[in-house]
Amino acid sequence: MTNTDPVWITEAQVTSLLTLAEAIPALSTGLSLQAQGLAASMPKTMLQFGHNNLHALGARLGNYVGTKTWAHTEGGTCPLLLLWNADDGQLAAIIEAFALGNLRTGGTTGVATDWLARPDARVLAMAGTGKQALSQVAAVLAVRNIDEVRVYSPTPASREAFAARIQEAFPECGLRATAVGSMAAACDGADVVTVATRASAPFVDAAMLARGAHLNAIGAIAPDREEFCQDVFDRADVVAVDDLSSTQRLSREFRTRYGEDWQGVQTLSQRIHDGARRPADADLTLFKAMGMGLSDLALGVEILQRARDQGAGRAIAAPVKSKPRFFATPLAQRA
């Protein structure tokens, strides 16, 4: 296998090649390049069918362009990231993207928390116990010295089980993870609040949030979802998003607030480029993640480079053009 052969990179190879802690600087670099005009995201597209969604997003970064697509269904999902060489359009890699999606979503929260949470943050409130939740906790642990995590889910068994899972997953951190019976209890005095749920109605209001807190809003990425109340905006000194276009089209929370005037919303990439960290006197900071192709591509390019350096990945045949057939039976032979 040469460095020009297209490769298939499996889930196991993705997780062996890149950790969440390593994903955070790769994502930061991609966002900085975006602000400089050296990288760009394709607008996210989504088709809803019943309670399911078909997603597609993409980006360009350096010598690569790529798209990630998946169907999020009640029966499961199978995301794939495809990378092409930007100069000749030839296939570079197909990357199985379950773990990559977790690294991207969690890592983006890590980047936002690093830039917008107080440096002395110690307490994390985590709402949601689904498949993204553990990487969300890990991302905050990667950038802040958290010693207490409070877990809220409306289902007691789920929050108890997830609190125990946190304790087991990060024994070296000396964490105290506890399940709490309400979102208000989780947020009481919390420095960082992350919500990653499929809620259809808001369950976090401004009164729950301590002064000096940072809120990561991760879960409501479709117009039928909502996680926080409109009064949260009233207290936010910084309102940042990963992708403005997707937020404008798909976030019910933000569309309700901003309508046609979006001047109060910044991109995380621009804040990184400007070196604009959390204002010292900020009451509240808010980050909304919708998911964007640039983040997937930043990690895909990093994974591909590591795979080539280490000889990982399975070489696959480059696609070869074939002329289409127009008819099963030649016209001259038809009766």
Side-chain angles (χ1 to χ4, degrees):
M1 182 174 68
T2 71
N3 276 354
T4 59
D5 291 333
V7 294
W8 187 290
I9 301 174
T10 67
E11 282 288 304
Q13 290 166 334
V14 168
T15 57
S16 70
L17 290 166
L18 191 69
T19 67
L20 178 60
E22 292 168 329
I24 291 173
L27 290 165
S28 295
T29 298
L31 289 169
S32 180
L33 291 172
Q34 181 187 35
Q36 298 173 54
L38 301 175
S41 276
M42 183 176 77
K44 183 178 181 179
T45 60
M46 184 182 69
L47 171 68
Q48 289 190 275
F49 52 105
H51 295 292
N52 308 313
N53 301 295
L54 174 65
H55 299 263
L57 40 73
R60 67 170 179 87
L61 176 65
N63 295 324
Y64 295 98
V65 293
T67 60
K68 190 178 84 171
T69 186
W70 72 103
H72 191 286
T73 75
E74 293 178 294
T77 186
C78 182
L80 293 172
L81 174 65
L82 283 77
L83 300 184
W84 293 272
N85 293 299
D87 56 350
D88 60 8
Q90 296 306 297
L91 182 66
I94 300 173
I95 304 175
E96 297 175 10
F98 286 99
L100 185 148
N102 253 268
L103 293 172
R104 180 263 277 170
T105 306
T108 301
T109 295
V111 175
T113 302
D114 190 30
W115 281 84
L116 296 176
R118 294 199 328 269
D120 62 349
R122 292 286 183 176
V123 180
L124 166 65
M126 180 70 218
T129 60
K131 60 186 178 182
Q132 293 286 350
L134 196 62
S135 65
Q136 290 294 321
V137 172
V140 178
L141 297 182
V143 298
R144 290 295 183 270
N145 293 320
I146 300 296
D147 50 35
E148 181 183 359
V149 181
R150 302 176 191 151
V151 178
Y152 172 68
S153 165
T155 306
S158 295
R159 60 185 184 241
E160 292 284 353
F162 188 63
R165 189 179 174 199
I166 292 172
Q167 296 275 186
E168 294 169 1
F170 309 108
E172 69 281 4
C173 296
L175 279 175
R176 180 164 62 94
T178 58
V180 295
S182 70
M183 192 62 200
C187 293
D188 186 17
D191 305 303
V192 180
V193 178
T194 298
V195 289
T197 72
R198 295 181 65 83
S200 58
F203 61 93
V204 179
D205 62 49
M208 296 178 184
L209 300 170
R211 180 172 180 82
H214 169 64
L215 173 62
N216 294 306
I218 307 302
I221 60 172
D224 61 343
R225 303 187 207 169
E226 200 166 5
E227 293 180 309
F228 63 88
C229 298
Q230 290 294 301
D231 61 359
V232 170
F233 288 111
D234 297 332
R235 286 183 51 196
D237 294 284
V238 176
V239 177
V241 300
D242 59 347
D243 187 79
L244 184 59
S245 173
S246 293
T247 307
Q248 289 171 329
R249 290 183 297 109
L250 299 172
S251 170
R252 189 164 76 192
E253 297 145 336
F254 276 69
R255 292 174 66 180
T256 299
R257 175 68 175 194
Y258 292 100
E260 299 299 323
D261 183 4
W262 290 76
Q263 293 186 32
V265 182
Q266 301 173 301
T267 61
L268 183 59
S269 62
Q270 191 60 54
R271 292 192 67 85
I272 292 173
H273 180 64
D274 294 344
R277 291 189 176 271
R278 179 191 181 93
D281 59 349
D283 175 10
L284 184 69
T285 53
L286 168 64
F287 174 67
K288 177 65 179 177
M290 298 296 295
M292 62 177 181
L294 177 60
S295 300
D296 289 291
L297 190 60
L299 297 191
V301 170
E302 180 71 18
I303 289 165
L304 176 57
Q305 186 59 57
R306 292 182 180 215
R308 286 178 168 165
D309 290 345
Q310 298 178 32
R314 184 181 78 249
I316 57 177
V320 178
K321 294 178 182 178
S322 178
K323 290 183 179 180
R325 296 191 306 142
F326 299 119
F327 302 102
T329 303
L331 294 178
Q333 296 179 18
R334 293 188 177 184

